[in-house]
Amino acid sequence: MARSVFGFLSRHPDKPEIGDDRHFLRLPRNSDYRQWYKLRSESRQFLQPWEPTWRADELTESAFRTRVNRNAQEYSCGLAVPLLLFRREDEALLGGLTIGLIRRGAAQCCMIGYWMGERFAGQGHMFAALQLAIPYMFRELELHRIEAACIPDNEKSIRLLERAGFQREGLLRDYLNINGQWRDHAIFSRLAEPTAGRGKPASP
């Protein structure tokens, strides 16, 4: 497996876990399949309007195992940190949050995406996940800028981002193919707070 391009790999675990007393986020495991399958299948109508069209084999165990392997490789190579969100008390799977498109050099930024199971939506779980993930992105991954793209009529997602401190910057035309159609996306960002000694980009 390729070595990570994170300049600080030696200071960080191969399998990160971010959490508090109510929630935790970690990389997917093959053993997560049953929970993942149940949550995604029962939430399909809820999620599909905001996601790329699901493949015919989207929910199969073999496709999930391929996803787990790809996620591990992306993390190892420093390209992404794909995380699942769990409730601490019973380890119930709630949704997912991906720190993706990590760019180093002069950029030091990433793009986040997230999803929530229908029965857990609107209960503050994803806001809690962002409160855990944002410090991780700025402090542990040493990023300067976090971006998020959102379909303009996804009002719940927009409110979530604004509550989490993101600012709207503009519109990306026909940005992603969502549910079979090219859709415009509003672009949001949150920047790292200035700190002493910050500002020198890491090596690419």
Side-chain angles (χ1 to χ4, degrees):
M1 187 176 291
R3 293 289 288 175
S4 173
V5 297
F6 293 146
F8 44 86
L9 177 65
S10 61
R11 307 203 305 269
H12 295 264
D14 291 336
K15 297 180 180 179
E17 181 174 310
I18 313 163
D20 59 15
D21 58 349
R22 295 187 60 238
H23 301 90
F24 67 93
L25 297 126
R26 62 161 170 78
L27 296 180
R29 302 170 182 167
N30 289 331
S31 58
D32 296 322
Y33 174 68
R34 288 188 179 183
Q35 277 209 83
W36 180 88
Y37 171 81
K38 185 176 188 303
L39 189 61
R40 293 284 294 179
S41 60
E42 71 184 25
S43 304
R44 183 166 190 157
Q45 291 186 340
F46 175 71
L47 295 172
Q48 188 61 92
W50 317 111
E51 296 188 351
T53 302
W54 291 17
R55 303 183 310 274
D57 67 344
E58 184 78 20
L59 297 177
T60 64
E61 187 168 6
S62 61
F64 182 76
R65 289 179 178 274
T66 298
R67 182 192 303 268
V68 170
N69 291 334
R70 183 176 67 248
N71 289 168
Q73 291 172 357
E74 288 172 345
Y75 174 72
S76 179
C77 293
L79 301 176
V81 186
L83 302 165
L84 292 179
L85 172 64
F86 296 87
R87 187 167 54 199
R88 176 74 70 182
E89 62 178 339
D90 56 1
E91 298 190 2
L93 176 63
L94 307 176
L97 189 156
T98 296
I99 305 166
L101 295 178
I102 296 174
R103 285 96 78 197
R104 293 296 178 180
Q108 298 299 317
C109 63
C110 69
M111 176 73 74
I112 61 167
Y114 44 81
W115 64 274
M116 178 63 60
E118 183 173 13
R119 58 192 161 104
F120 300 117
Q123 301 173 29
H125 296 300
M126 189 52 67
F127 178 74
L130 286 171
Q131 295 303 102
L132 293 170
I134 288 169
Y136 173 79
M137 286 182 265
F138 286 144
R139 298 173 191 167
E140 302 299 317
L141 300 186
E142 299 179 0
L143 296 172
H144 172 69
R145 174 183 170 91
I146 305 169
E147 298 176 349
C150 181
I151 294 174
D153 55 3
N154 190 344
E155 296 178 358
K156 291 182 179 179
S157 189
I158 289 174
R159 287 198 299 269
L160 171 66
L161 290 171
E162 291 176 341
R163 186 183 173 202
F166 285 75
Q167 295 185 25
R168 186 167 181 161
E169 294 187 336
L171 186 71
L172 303 175
R173 296 182 301 160
D174 282 4
Y175 181 60
L176 294 174
N177 193 303
I178 300 296
N179 199 24
Q181 295 183 332
W182 288 101
R183 301 293 303 274
D184 294 346
H185 282 65
I187 181 70
F188 291 78
S189 73
R190 176 166 168 168
L191 305 181
E193 296 294 330
T195 57
R198 192 178 181 89
K200 181 180 178 181
S203 299

